[in-house]
Amino acid sequence: MNNMQIQVTAASKRFNTEWIFSNLNFSFTTGQHYALIGNNGSGKSTLLQIIAGYIGLTKGGIQWISTSNETIDSTNIFQYISIATPYLELVEEFTALEQIIFHQQFKPLQNGLEPIELLEKIGLRNAAKKQIRNFSSGMKQRLKLALAIFDQAPILLLDEPCSNLDQEGIQTYHQLMQKYAMHKLVIVASNDPQEFQFCSQQLSLSNFKS
């Protein structure tokens, strides 16, 4: 698996006339686990989307650097990133099994894991042939997390990962993270400590308000 570094330099983001954050300098490195914290509106989800290459900065720069010191272009960074967020949707017409098989076409699963095994690990084996449109919000969140955690991408981005999960789901999330994601560069955007208790570093975006 690729070791990665993400360097954010003098990063600033504005929506209309409001600066969400400004002059942010930080480096993220493979094998480390980071929590993005801060008040509502401080830019946690926005920074996660910038790191994912979904949106750009207003000022400053971001670089994604591989093991070989190669800078990766923003148009290709999706190959190195897996992400689970409340605003990313699953394909409602697919069954759970079809969703995983579709996902595999773009992002192979770790260690040759089979789709049905993935569903078993998140307690959804019996829902393998059920359409996602008929899933509860908690079932959908389990599937989103599993697709992100189990793929081979070296960077894992999570936005409020325990949204809609019951206590059993939260326990499953932590078990999966400990077993399958600790070797990755992990960034969690959240203000809930139970979602990022495994993170050794915290970055408070409230400190970068202009």
Side-chain angles (χ1 to χ4, degrees):
M1 189 193 74
N2 291 325
N3 288 324
M4 298 288 297
Q5 185 178 40
I6 302 169
Q7 293 182 348
V8 180
T9 308
S12 303
K13 183 62 180 178
R14 182 180 66 195
F15 290 119
N16 299 318
T17 59
E18 180 186 2
W19 288 96
I20 307 302
F21 55 79
S22 60
N23 202 32
L24 169 60
N25 295 282
F26 202 81
S27 290
F28 303 90
T29 306
T30 293
Q32 298 298 312
H33 313 120
Y34 306 86
L36 303 180
I37 63 174
N39 300 332
N40 291 342
S42 60
K44 299 183 297 294
S45 296
T46 298
L47 181 57
L48 215 63
Q49 291 180 61
I50 289 167
I51 291 170
Y54 292 167
I55 59 177
L57 288 162
T58 307
K59 291 182 180 179
I62 180 169
Q63 285 187 309
W64 302 269
I65 302 166
S66 69
T67 312
S68 57
N69 243 11
E70 174 192 3
T71 299
I72 298 161
D73 188 85
S74 60
T75 57
N76 294 321
I77 192 59
F78 71 92
Q79 299 175 27
Y80 299 83
I81 287 176
S82 56
I83 185 168
T85 77
Y87 45 83
L88 287 182
E89 297 296 333
L90 300 167
V91 182
E92 297 274 314
E93 291 76 17
F94 281 173
T95 64
L97 209 52
E98 288 170 340
Q99 175 71 72
I100 299 167
I101 292 167
F102 177 72
H103 183 86
Q104 278 184 300
Q105 296 177 36
F106 308 96
K107 300 282 183 70
L109 299 178
Q110 292 185 41
N111 303 322
L113 188 71
E114 292 296 326
I116 199 69
E117 293 178 276
L118 182 153
L119 289 172
E120 188 161 1
K121 289 180 185 296
I122 58 172
L124 293 180
R125 185 187 180 100
N126 291 338
K129 297 184 178 179
K130 187 175 183 178
Q131 273 193 318
I132 291 169
R133 68 165 75 245
N134 297 317
F135 276 25
S136 69
S137 56
M139 292 167 70
K140 288 178 181 178
Q141 184 65 9
R142 285 188 188 220
L143 184 53
K144 285 184 190 181
L145 287 170
L147 290 172
I149 291 168
F150 282 117
D151 84 29
Q152 295 178 12
I155 300 170
L156 175 60
L157 307 179
L158 302 172
D159 193 351
E160 298 182 348
C162 294
S163 296
N164 302 312
L165 294 183
D166 57 17
Q167 282 305 310
E168 182 185 350
I170 293 169
Q171 186 176 3
T172 298
Y173 159 69
H174 284 292
Q175 290 171 347
L176 295 180
M177 290 299 296
Q178 289 296 332
K179 191 168 183 180
Y180 298 100
M182 290 298 97
H183 60 291
K184 300 187 178 193
L185 195 174
V186 180
I187 306 174
V188 182
S190 174
N191 279 331
D192 185 347
Q194 74 174 343
E195 296 187 321
F196 58 81
Q197 62 188 40
F198 54 85
C199 294
S200 58
Q201 298 192 51
Q202 295 182 16
L203 174 61
S204 176
L205 293 185
S206 298
N207 295 334
F208 298 93
K209 276 289 188 186
S210 56

